[in-house]
Amino acid sequence: MIDLRSDTVTKPSEEMRESAHTADVGDDVYGEDPTVNELETRAAELVGTEAALYVPTGTMGNQIAARVHTDRGQEILVERESHIFKWELGGLAQHAGLQVRTLNGGERGIPTPEQVKSGYVEEDAHRPGTGLLSLENTHNSKGGVAIDPKEIDAAAKAAHELDVPVHLDGARVCNAAVAHDVSPARFTEEIDSVMFCLSKGLGAPVGSMLAGTEDFIARARRTRKLFGGGMRQVGLLAGPGLLALDNVSRLADDHENARVLAENLAGVGGLSVQSPETNIVLVDTEQAGLTAGEFLTACEEMGVLGTQFDTHVARFCTHWDVSQEDVEVAAENVRDALYTQDV
Amino acid sequence: MIDLRSDTVTKPSEEMRESAHTADVGDDVYGEDPTVNELETRAAELVGTEAALYVPTGTMGNQIAARVHTDRGQEILVERESHIFKWELGGLAQHAGLQVRTLNGGERGIPTPEQVKSGYVEEDAHRPGTGLLSLENTHNSKGGVAIDPKEIDAAAKAAHELDVPVHLDGARVCNAAVAHDVSPARFTEEIDSVMFCLSKGLGAPVGSMLAGTEDFIARARRTRKLFGGGMRQVGLLAGPGLLALDNVSRLADDHENARVLAENLAGVGGLSVQSPETNIVLVDTEQAGLTAGEFLTACEEMGVLGTQFDTHVARFCTHWDVSQEDVEVAAENVRDALYTQDV
Amino acid sequence: MIDLRSDTVTKPSEEMRESAHTADVGDDVYGEDPTVNELETRAAELVGTEAALYVPTGTMGNQIAARVHTDRGQEILVERESHIFKWELGGLAQHAGLQVRTLNGGERGIPTPEQVKSGYVEEDAHRPGTGLLSLENTHNSKGGVAIDPKEIDAAAKAAHELDVPVHLDGARVCNAAVAHDVSPARFTEEIDSVMFCLSKGLGAPVGSMLAGTEDFIARARRTRKLFGGGMRQVGLLAGPGLLALDNVSRLADDHENARVLAENLAGVGGLSVQSPETNIVLVDTEQAGLTAGEFLTACEEMGVLGTQFDTHVARFCTHWDVSQEDVEVAAENVRDALYTQDV
Amino acid sequence: MIDLRSDTVTKPSEEMRESAHTADVGDDVYGEDPTVNELETRAAELVGTEAALYVPTGTMGNQIAARVHTDRGQEILVERESHIFKWELGGLAQHAGLQVRTLNGGERGIPTPEQVKSGYVEEDAHRPGTGLLSLENTHNSKGGVAIDPKEIDAAAKAAHELDVPVHLDGARVCNAAVAHDVSPARFTEEIDSVMFCLSKGLGAPVGSMLAGTEDFIARARRTRKLFGGGMRQVGLLAGPGLLALDNVSRLADDHENARVLAENLAGVGGLSVQSPETNIVLVDTEQAGLTAGEFLTACEEMGVLGTQFDTHVARFCTHWDVSQEDVEVAAENVRDALYTQDV
Ligand SMILES: [Ca+2]
Ligand SMILES: [Ca+2]
Ligand SMILES: [Ca+2]
Ligand SMILES: [Ca+2]
Ligand SMILES: [Ca+2]
Ligand SMILES: [Ca+2]
């Protein structure tokens, strides 16, 4: 089975397992886990912030950020297809009481400065003020597009001119960095906080980093406790996490494999394939006369796994546990699947 | 001063004041205010529901409805310019923890059945389910357009097919009824609850009605207490409220006055005026080379009051305390204002 | 029927009804209702604060205060039998996300400074900080006891030493003032905000006042809108409210009537009667071999209404619509009821 | 340094580290981590429930339980010194909007059935109904007392008679089981859900289990995602967790060491030592003329670490990484510390 459902499915490498075996640990609730402390220091360096915090999931990282940046009763501006809005169980209202206002970031899921300005709400007697702008890069729902750092800068500057802080859901910001051949820190120049995942393309078994100023991270640490995310000898996961930080440049392989997959699928039996910028390949099945669900069932029978994104959109995601040969085989199997299908 | 800021500014009639003077009252928290009880019965009849509840404001009525219909952690579908979303201080997240999902209801602010279906979210491991659809008629931000009952039916049926209840913010639903020459009850045929205001065009000093099934109203009554809306000898307001129920057909005058106002303003000094369907006149000031704020300041100096809706949109609202002569004078003064302005 | 259920059942006087008839009104959401404005000014004077706000109910006043004084995620200290904790539908958690910490105020429901200090929680990594102390005077559940202003001062000072603001639920603070022969303002010397009801012993049909600093009231006004408490031509209620402010000294009659009622009930058929300090008479029915429910049913058959407070505690409340003769008759009827009862 | 601050400070054994090295893993968000699945099955068996869920912390387990069992706007009954109330950042109000009602569980922190009944609130027009009773065993703040299963049964039955579900914060329920020489499952006979920690005396580096019916766990799993607790290849922690389940009987050593420590400290320099029932030793420093803070500073200088529980109460906690010799040395050092102190 070639598993292209998500880059979260990667299994930890032998080296990572060894680091779990040997990591120096302590009670991180007391701040005494040296491996976690090292991970937090190095993660902050990687994304160019003062400090960072280990969190069990990207969802927790995003939700903590939303809560820490805002005051009770505000609004948050998000892209209308963003993960923080679509896939986090409505947490923005549940955890932080925020009213969501969506911006249409277009094909690439990045709001323009003008959109940020027009989405901004000035607090008055009837309206909650805007308390946060959240951006996403790479943008998952848009097919892993790697938004240009200048576009991130521009949207963030527009928010800052209105005294609105900016959070970046950078679950895959390292993929964006590789795609643009810049450091991940390039994306945070105008950003107040960023979350990025160790457990996706970087290959760690568990965990994400939330990064920002020292003051922000101090408040995030307390909020992590409220969420039940304050773990103990979590150096066992921080060890693999440290190794994950070395995997940034390796993401180029995933991108190349995505390109190969897309190329080999293009035009097959009516599939329409979006040209990938990173490690995500979106396949439109409508012209093939199939729903995404039917298409994925056929793929699964041929040993290839993907996920459904929309009625007629399937997603394949390349990652560390998938080689170029794997994606070539996958593409061939998908082709066979389609021609076997009664379409 | 001709006050066209809102139909909320109407002062109670002498007859209403007399009814406040003489109303039979009791403690409504105990359900013992006969005037309130009569008002609730008659209001339910007017909008064709089993029961109704007196609430101090339309905002409270809408927010109670949102909370009673939904479960913790759900989404609500609203039109993107709707009052419940824009002007109620983010209450949907604050009072009910709801994540808002907006639908673009277009020029007239009414989502199509297809939009409702595509906005619907099925509850799953990552997504909050859709718990409520809220519609608005007349639609305030769209200029008081009177949405056709069939369009309300269609959107509501689409929701019901997905097991989603539907609330109607009918703050001005009686204006819609007059515009379409139907009973207000015509708008609730496919609706689970409706809120309408006594204190707008109907002329009551204070209050709105929330209407729905007996079970819904029983739960709404308890929730009203949570909100601090359970008043005592409020028959003093219910008396005028009962008289307000007799004012539905009178709204035709406001609509005619709005038409006259719009006609007399059309083309004046570059103003672009939306043809009114009810008692609201939206004026676009951009071609006049003015912001709405500048325009309204000029109007005020000439004795005419309106409100700002957007950077270049001003709103005038006709009502009981404004005669046809008043709007003619108002239009003339606005004309003079514009020609006096340095434009 | 002699209705001693609550001082909320009073019906407005002819003078109050006339003031509803004639009050100068305007749209209070715009701040343009002169009668409301006068009421807010005079109410602030009465309780010795910078400013005040008219709210439809005492519950809304208390809940707004709790929300405005605190930050997200704090604790509130309340007396364990206080109204804000027991009878407001859990609003402290619902509206403000506050964790309640209860203090045992003893027989008279007033925490000592030592209790305040020991209930205080310093914010740290695991604990929410204390954000507010709420006191109550007169204390309803304790039988309308009129707490000495020095005890209020002492508890409030203890809170202030810990930088914790203090709210006074003074629904019946005017009764406390009369009982102690001081101005209501005497109770707010060390208090940051106070809510008092116009619609209880003062006889207004509807409404309460929330009072505090100008800054506090500005924030409370906005929060009132969030709660749906921003009414329009509410001068119709503010007129009677202004007259209610003149009724403070009249409360002495209610207190005297309560004393007479208690005296006449004492020892009747095993009833144990708490000596009243204001207008509330608590009757313990246990020695009479009756539950409070059974006792009240018997009373009702004899034309006397009260309310159940606990399994064996009934409450009678004197008020404007009840004369000394009424309470004498009531006592006699209760006596008869008990001897008729099969006890 | 002999670290008696908490049983959370234990470092994973070599065997646990090896299991992290070799554990078969998968993406647990897809339910595909075989080691997690095995852990959940075995944990459910241990505590005698249908199902169980791995959560990163006990706090998250408790808070999820509170949210899943209750409806919006209810009350929760908790012991007044319980962890869920005192040490979880006010999460009950924040995550679930619950109003807390505290019961005084006395010396041993276990409410009687009568207390449960009298704390129960029937939902009505003014009162939130009671939605959950939460118990704690062993009771941390009371010094790790091991509450008898019959007392748990009795309190839980009282709740069930009122249709109120019961959660057990059994962070250290295995210690209670060892102290009473029963299976942990003995404590859940009348319980609807239980949380217990792998990361305390059982020695796992990270994690807790939430256990209950299959339906409850299905809902808890979704709520875990909302909290950001849905981790990926978390078999790396589930492997050590499985080994931790084998450590239940080993807790007897900790209990014996606590007994030895208490015995050796008793009477030293005015210290008053509570006789331990499990692995927690509470030391009252008041008679020694020291605050707990001063006492612990002195201890630390002599190489012994504990935590402050109250102004004059320090806590020592025995665990896997501390031998009988360690506690003897610790006691001796504390003795020396006290006699060195200027007291
Ligand atoms: Ca992984
Ligand atoms: Ca802020
Ligand atoms: Ca009006
Ligand atoms: Ca529902
Ligand atoms: Ca009254
Ligand atoms: Ca441990």
Side-chain angles (χ1 to χ4, degrees):
Chain A
M1 197 63 84
I2 300 170
D3 190 347
L4 301 170
R5 289 176 300 173
S6 177
D7 45 14
T8 61
V9 303
T10 52
K11 296 191 180 174
S13 65
E14 172 55 24
E15 199 189 359
M16 284 179 174
R17 286 172 175 279
E18 270 166 29
S19 82
H21 195 152
T22 58
D24 195 5
V25 301
D27 191 330
D28 185 44
V29 174
Y30 295 116
E32 294 173 0
D33 190 303
T35 311
V36 173
N37 292 344
E38 188 186 346
L39 174 62
E40 292 180 347
T41 301
R42 280 201 46 212
E45 284 166 14
L46 180 69
V47 293
T49 61
E50 287 176 20
L53 181 74
Y54 182 75
V55 285
T57 65
T59 292
M60 192 186 285
N62 281 337
Q63 295 291 334
I64 289 174
R67 187 175 159 110
V68 171
H69 282 302
T70 59
D71 293 326
R72 189 155 57 184
Q74 291 191 311
E75 286 198 358
I76 181 171
L77 282 171
V78 303
E79 207 280 327
R80 69 175 184 172
E81 298 289 333
S82 59
H83 192 279
I84 201 172
F85 170 56
K86 270 182 86 173
W87 303 106
E88 301 186 5
L89 279 164
L92 294 169
Q94 290 294 310
H95 298 304
L98 294 172
Q99 177 159 296
V100 174
R101 184 170 294 269
T102 50
L103 302 175
N104 180 351
E107 290 294 300
R108 300 177 59 73
I110 176 70
T112 63
E114 290 67 35
Q115 286 180 311
V116 171
K117 277 176 209 162
S118 80
Y120 171 75
V121 172
E122 179 86 33
E123 173 183 316
D124 70 17
H126 298 77
R127 307 194 74 178
T130 302
L132 185 63
L133 167 67
S134 182
L135 302 173
E136 183 175 331
N137 195 17
T138 67
H139 194 298
N140 182 10
S141 292
K142 297 299 181 187
V145 297
I147 296 164
D148 193 287
K150 292 197 197 94
E151 291 180 273
I152 299 286
D153 292 352
K157 277 179 187 165
H160 286 158
E161 278 164 22
L162 297 160
D163 272 330
V164 172
V166 185
H167 172 69
L168 177 61
D169 176 352
R172 294 183 180 90
V173 76
C174 294
N175 295 80
V178 165
H180 285 284
D181 199 18
V182 297
S183 152
R186 174 61 191 90
F187 292 93
T188 66
E189 291 183 6
E190 300 289 335
I191 287 292
D192 300 284
S193 64
V194 60
M195 183 284 294
F196 72 98
C197 292
L198 306 171
S199 63
K200 292 195 167 75
L202 301 181
V206 172
S208 298
M209 304 305 305
L210 179 62
T213 64
E214 276 179 19
D215 174 63
F216 172 82
I217 291 300
R219 297 171 65 205
R221 193 176 296 275
R222 186 166 184 261
T223 303
R224 186 183 65 176
K225 192 84 190 164
L226 170 67
F227 277 67
M231 298 180 283
R232 298 291 175 175
Q233 288 77 25
V234 72
L236 258 72
L237 297 176
L242 275 164
L243 294 169
L245 295 184
D246 296 331
N247 285 346
V248 175
S249 61
R250 198 209 54 74
L251 296 170
D253 300 343
D254 297 347
H255 299 186
E256 172 62 10
N257 290 342
R259 197 191 57 72
V260 168
L261 179 66
E263 208 168 83
N264 291 7
L265 287 179
V268 172
L271 295 181
S272 168
V273 184
Q274 180 178 313
S275 180
E277 302 183 16
T278 57
N279 68 326
I280 290 173
V281 179
L282 293 191
V283 177
D284 192 308
T285 62
E286 194 156 20
Q287 297 302 319
L290 294 168
T291 64
E294 292 165 343
F295 170 68
L296 288 165
T297 303
C299 291
E300 188 168 357
E301 281 163 13
M302 300 298 290
V304 179
L305 298 177
T307 53
Q308 180 168 347
F309 239 45
D310 211 334
T311 316
H312 292 97
V313 182
R315 187 190 80 168
F316 296 117
C317 195
T318 59
H319 54 77
W320 201 359
D321 292 355
V322 165
S323 66
Q324 186 162 328
E325 199 190 327
D326 287 335
V327 300
E328 284 164 353
V329 170
E332 199 172 309
N333 290 359
V334 170
R335 265 200 304 275
D336 293 350
L338 281 205
Y339 293 117
T340 311
Q341 275 287 112
D342 191 16
V343 294
Chain B
M1 196 65 83
I2 301 170
D3 189 348
L4 300 170
R5 288 177 299 173
S6 177
D7 44 14
T8 62
V9 301
T10 52
K11 297 192 179 171
S13 65
E14 172 56 23
E15 199 189 359
M16 284 180 174
R17 286 173 175 277
E18 269 165 30
S19 80
H21 195 153
T22 59
D24 195 6
V25 301
D27 191 330
D28 184 46
V29 173
Y30 295 116
E32 295 172 359
D33 190 302
T35 311
V36 172
N37 293 343
E38 187 187 346
L39 174 62
E40 293 181 347
T41 301
R42 280 201 46 212
E45 283 165 17
L46 181 68
V47 294
T49 60
E50 287 176 19
L53 180 75
Y54 182 74
V55 285
T57 65
T59 292
M60 193 186 287
N62 281 337
Q63 295 292 333
I64 288 174
R67 186 175 161 111
V68 172
H69 282 302
T70 59
D71 293 325
R72 190 155 56 186
Q74 291 191 313
E75 286 197 359
I76 181 171
L77 282 172
V78 302
E79 207 279 328
R80 69 176 185 172
E81 298 289 332
S82 59
H83 191 278
I84 202 172
F85 170 57
K86 270 182 86 172
W87 302 106
E88 300 187 6
L89 278 163
L92 294 169
Q94 289 294 310
H95 298 304
L98 294 171
Q99 177 159 296
V100 175
R101 183 169 294 268
T102 50
L103 302 175
N104 180 353
E107 289 295 300
R108 301 177 58 73
I110 177 71
T112 63
E114 291 67 36
Q115 286 179 313
V116 171
K117 278 177 208 160
S118 80
Y120 172 75
V121 172
E122 179 85 33
E123 172 184 317
D124 69 17
H126 298 77
R127 307 193 75 177
T130 302
L132 185 64
L133 167 67
S134 181
L135 302 173
E136 184 174 331
N137 195 17
T138 68
H139 194 298
N140 182 10
S141 293
K142 297 300 180 185
V145 297
I147 296 164
D148 193 287
K150 292 196 196 94
E151 291 181 274
I152 299 287
D153 292 352
K157 277 180 186 165
H160 285 158
E161 279 165 21
L162 297 159
D163 272 331
V164 172
V166 186
H167 172 70
L168 177 62
D169 176 352
R172 293 183 181 90
V173 76
C174 294
N175 295 80
V178 166
H180 284 284
D181 198 18
V182 297
S183 152
R186 174 61 191 89
F187 292 94
T188 65
E189 291 184 4
E190 301 288 335
I191 287 292
D192 300 285
S193 63
V194 59
M195 182 284 292
F196 72 98
C197 292
L198 305 171
S199 63
K200 293 196 167 75
L202 301 181
V206 172
S208 298
M209 305 305 305
L210 179 60
T213 64
E214 277 179 20
D215 174 64
F216 172 81
I217 291 300
R219 297 171 66 204
R221 194 176 296 278
R222 186 165 183 262
T223 303
R224 184 183 66 176
K225 191 84 189 162
L226 170 67
F227 277 68
M231 297 181 283
R232 299 290 175 176
Q233 287 76 27
V234 72
L236 257 73
L237 297 177
L242 275 164
L243 293 169
L245 295 183
D246 296 330
N247 285 345
V248 175
S249 61
R250 198 208 55 74
L251 297 170
D253 299 343
D254 297 348
H255 299 188
E256 172 63 10
N257 290 343
R259 198 191 56 72
V260 168
L261 179 66
E263 210 168 81
N264 291 7
L265 287 180
V268 172
L271 295 181
S272 168
V273 184
Q274 180 178 314
S275 180
E277 301 182 17
T278 57
N279 69 326
I280 291 174
V281 178
L282 294 192
V283 178
D284 192 308
T285 62
E286 195 156 19
Q287 298 301 319
L290 294 168
T291 63
E294 292 163 344
F295 170 67
L296 288 165
T297 303
C299 291
E300 189 168 357
E301 281 163 14
M302 302 298 289
V304 179
L305 298 178
T307 53
Q308 180 169 347
F309 240 44
D310 211 334
T311 317
H312 292 96
V313 182
R315 186 189 80 168
F316 296 116
C317 195
T318 59
H319 53 77
W320 201 359
D321 291 355
V322 165
S323 65
Q324 186 161 330
E325 200 192 326
D326 287 335
V327 300
E328 284 164 355
V329 171
E332 200 173 308
N333 290 0
V334 171
R335 266 199 304 276
D336 293 351
L338 282 205
Y339 293 117
T340 311
Q341 274 288 111
D342 191 17
V343 293
Chain C
M1 196 65 84
I2 301 170
D3 189 348
L4 301 170
R5 289 176 300 172
S6 178
D7 44 14
T8 62
V9 302
T10 51
K11 296 190 180 174
S13 65
E14 172 55 23
E15 200 189 359
M16 284 179 175
R17 285 172 176 278
E18 270 165 28
S19 81
H21 195 152
T22 59
D24 195 5
V25 301
D27 190 331
D28 186 45
V29 173
Y30 295 116
E32 293 172 0
D33 190 303
T35 311
V36 173
N37 293 344
E38 187 186 346
L39 174 62
E40 293 181 348
T41 301
R42 280 201 45 212
E45 283 166 15
L46 181 69
V47 294
T49 60
E50 287 176 18
L53 180 75
Y54 182 73
V55 285
T57 66
T59 292
M60 193 187 284
N62 281 337
Q63 295 292 332
I64 289 173
R67 186 174 161 111
V68 172
H69 282 302
T70 58
D71 293 325
R72 191 155 55 186
Q74 290 191 311
E75 287 198 359
I76 181 171
L77 282 171
V78 302
E79 206 280 327
R80 68 176 185 172
E81 298 288 334
S82 58
H83 191 279
I84 202 172
F85 171 57
K86 270 182 85 174
W87 304 106
E88 301 187 5
L89 279 164
L92 295 169
Q94 289 295 310
H95 299 303
L98 293 171
Q99 177 159 295
V100 175
R101 183 168 295 268
T102 50
L103 302 175
N104 180 351
E107 289 295 300
R108 301 177 58 73
I110 176 71
T112 63
E114 291 67 36
Q115 286 180 311
V116 171
K117 277 176 209 160
S118 80
Y120 172 76
V121 172
E122 179 86 32
E123 174 184 315
D124 70 17
H126 298 78
R127 308 194 74 178
T130 302
L132 184 65
L133 168 66
S134 181
L135 302 173
E136 184 176 330
N137 194 18
T138 69
H139 195 298
N140 182 10
S141 292
K142 297 300 180 186
V145 296
I147 297 164
D148 193 287
K150 292 197 196 94
E151 291 180 272
I152 299 287
D153 292 352
K157 277 180 187 164
H160 286 158
E161 279 165 21
L162 297 159
D163 272 330
V164 172
V166 185
H167 172 69
L168 177 62
D169 175 352
R172 293 184 180 89
V173 76
C174 294
N175 296 80
V178 166
H180 284 284
D181 199 19
V182 298
S183 152
R186 173 61 191 89
F187 292 94
T188 66
E189 291 183 5
E190 301 289 334
I191 287 291
D192 300 284
S193 64
V194 60
M195 183 283 294
F196 72 98
C197 292
L198 305 172
S199 62
K200 293 195 165 77
L202 301 181
V206 173
S208 297
M209 305 304 305
L210 178 61
T213 64
E214 276 179 20
D215 174 64
F216 172 82
I217 292 299
R219 297 170 66 204
R221 194 176 295 276
R222 187 167 182 260
T223 303
R224 185 183 65 175
K225 191 84 190 163
L226 170 67
F227 277 67
M231 298 180 283
R232 299 290 176 176
Q233 287 77 25
V234 72
L236 257 73
L237 297 177
L242 274 164
L243 293 169
L245 295 183
D246 296 331
N247 286 345
V248 175
S249 62
R250 197 209 56 74
L251 297 170
D253 300 342
D254 297 347
H255 299 188
E256 172 63 10
N257 290 343
R259 198 192 57 71
V260 169
L261 179 66
E263 208 168 82
N264 290 8
L265 287 180
V268 172
L271 295 182
S272 168
V273 184
Q274 180 178 313
S275 181
E277 300 182 17
T278 56
N279 69 326
I280 290 173
V281 179
L282 293 192
V283 177
D284 193 308
T285 63
E286 194 157 20
Q287 298 302 319
L290 294 168
T291 64
E294 293 163 343
F295 170 68
L296 287 165
T297 303
C299 290
E300 189 169 355
E301 281 163 13
M302 302 298 289
V304 179
L305 298 177
T307 53
Q308 180 168 347
F309 240 44
D310 210 335
T311 317
H312 292 96
V313 182
R315 186 190 81 167
F316 296 117
C317 195
T318 59
H319 53 78
W320 201 358
D321 291 354
V322 165
S323 66
Q324 185 161 332
E325 200 190 327
D326 287 335
V327 300
E328 285 164 353
V329 171
E332 200 172 308
N333 290 0
V334 171
R335 267 201 303 276
D336 294 349
L338 281 205
Y339 293 118
T340 311
Q341 274 289 109
D342 192 15
V343 294
Chain D
M1 196 65 81
I2 300 170
D3 189 349
L4 300 170
R5 288 176 300 171
S6 178
D7 43 14
T8 61
V9 302
T10 53
K11 297 192 179 171
S13 65
E14 172 56 21
E15 198 188 0
M16 284 180 174
R17 287 172 175 278
E18 270 165 29
S19 81
H21 195 153
T22 58
D24 194 5
V25 300
D27 191 330
D28 185 45
V29 173
Y30 294 116
E32 294 173 359
D33 190 303
T35 311
V36 173
N37 293 344
E38 187 186 346
L39 174 62
E40 292 181 347
T41 300
R42 280 201 47 212
E45 284 166 15
L46 181 69
V47 293
T49 60
E50 286 176 19
L53 181 74
Y54 182 73
V55 285
T57 66
T59 291
M60 193 187 285
N62 282 337
Q63 296 291 333
I64 289 174
R67 186 175 160 111
V68 171
H69 282 301
T70 58
D71 293 325
R72 189 156 56 186
Q74 291 191 309
E75 287 198 0
I76 181 171
L77 283 171
V78 303
E79 207 280 326
R80 69 176 186 172
E81 298 290 333
S82 59
H83 191 278
I84 202 172
F85 171 57
K86 271 182 85 173
W87 303 106
E88 301 186 6
L89 279 164
L92 295 169
Q94 289 294 310
H95 299 304
L98 294 171
Q99 177 159 294
V100 175
R101 185 169 293 269
T102 50
L103 302 174
N104 180 352
E107 289 295 299
R108 301 176 58 72
I110 176 71
T112 64
E114 291 68 36
Q115 287 179 311
V116 170
K117 279 176 208 160
S118 79
Y120 172 75
V121 172
E122 180 86 32
E123 173 184 315
D124 70 17
H126 298 77
R127 308 194 74 177
T130 303
L132 185 64
L133 167 67
S134 182
L135 302 173
E136 184 175 329
N137 195 18
T138 68
H139 194 298
N140 182 11
S141 292
K142 296 300 180 185
V145 296
I147 296 164
D148 193 287
K150 292 196 196 95
E151 291 181 272
I152 299 286
D153 291 352
K157 277 178 186 166
H160 285 157
E161 278 164 22
L162 297 160
D163 271 332
V164 172
V166 185
H167 173 69
L168 177 62
D169 176 352
R172 293 183 180 90
V173 76
C174 294
N175 295 80
V178 165
H180 283 284
D181 198 18
V182 296
S183 152
R186 173 61 190 91
F187 291 93
T188 65
E189 291 184 5
E190 301 289 334
I191 286 291
D192 300 284
S193 64
V194 60
M195 184 283 294
F196 72 98
C197 292
L198 306 171
S199 63
K200 293 195 166 75
L202 301 181
V206 172
S208 298
M209 305 304 305
L210 179 61
T213 64
E214 276 179 20
D215 174 63
F216 172 82
I217 291 300
R219 297 171 66 203
R221 193 176 296 276
R222 186 166 183 261
T223 303
R224 185 183 66 175
K225 192 83 190 164
L226 171 67
F227 277 68
M231 298 180 283
R232 299 290 176 175
Q233 287 77 26
V234 71
L236 257 73
L237 297 177
L242 275 164
L243 294 169
L245 295 184
D246 296 331
N247 285 345
V248 175
S249 62
R250 197 208 56 75
L251 296 171
D253 299 343
D254 297 347
H255 299 186
E256 172 63 11
N257 290 343
R259 199 192 55 72
V260 169
L261 179 66
E263 209 168 82
N264 289 9
L265 286 180
V268 172
L271 294 182
S272 167
V273 184
Q274 180 178 315
S275 180
E277 301 183 16
T278 57
N279 68 326
I280 291 173
V281 179
L282 293 192
V283 178
D284 192 309
T285 62
E286 194 157 20
Q287 298 302 320
L290 294 168
T291 64
E294 292 164 344
F295 169 68
L296 287 165
T297 304
C299 291
E300 188 168 356
E301 281 163 13
M302 301 299 288
V304 179
L305 298 178
T307 54
Q308 181 169 346
F309 240 45
D310 211 335
T311 317
H312 291 97
V313 182
R315 187 190 80 168
F316 296 116
C317 194
T318 59
H319 53 77
W320 201 357
D321 291 355
V322 165
S323 66
Q324 186 160 330
E325 200 189 326
D326 288 336
V327 299
E328 285 165 354
V329 171
E332 200 172 308
N333 290 0
V334 171
R335 266 201 305 275
D336 293 350
L338 281 205
Y339 292 118
T340 311
Q341 274 289 111
D342 191 17
V343 293

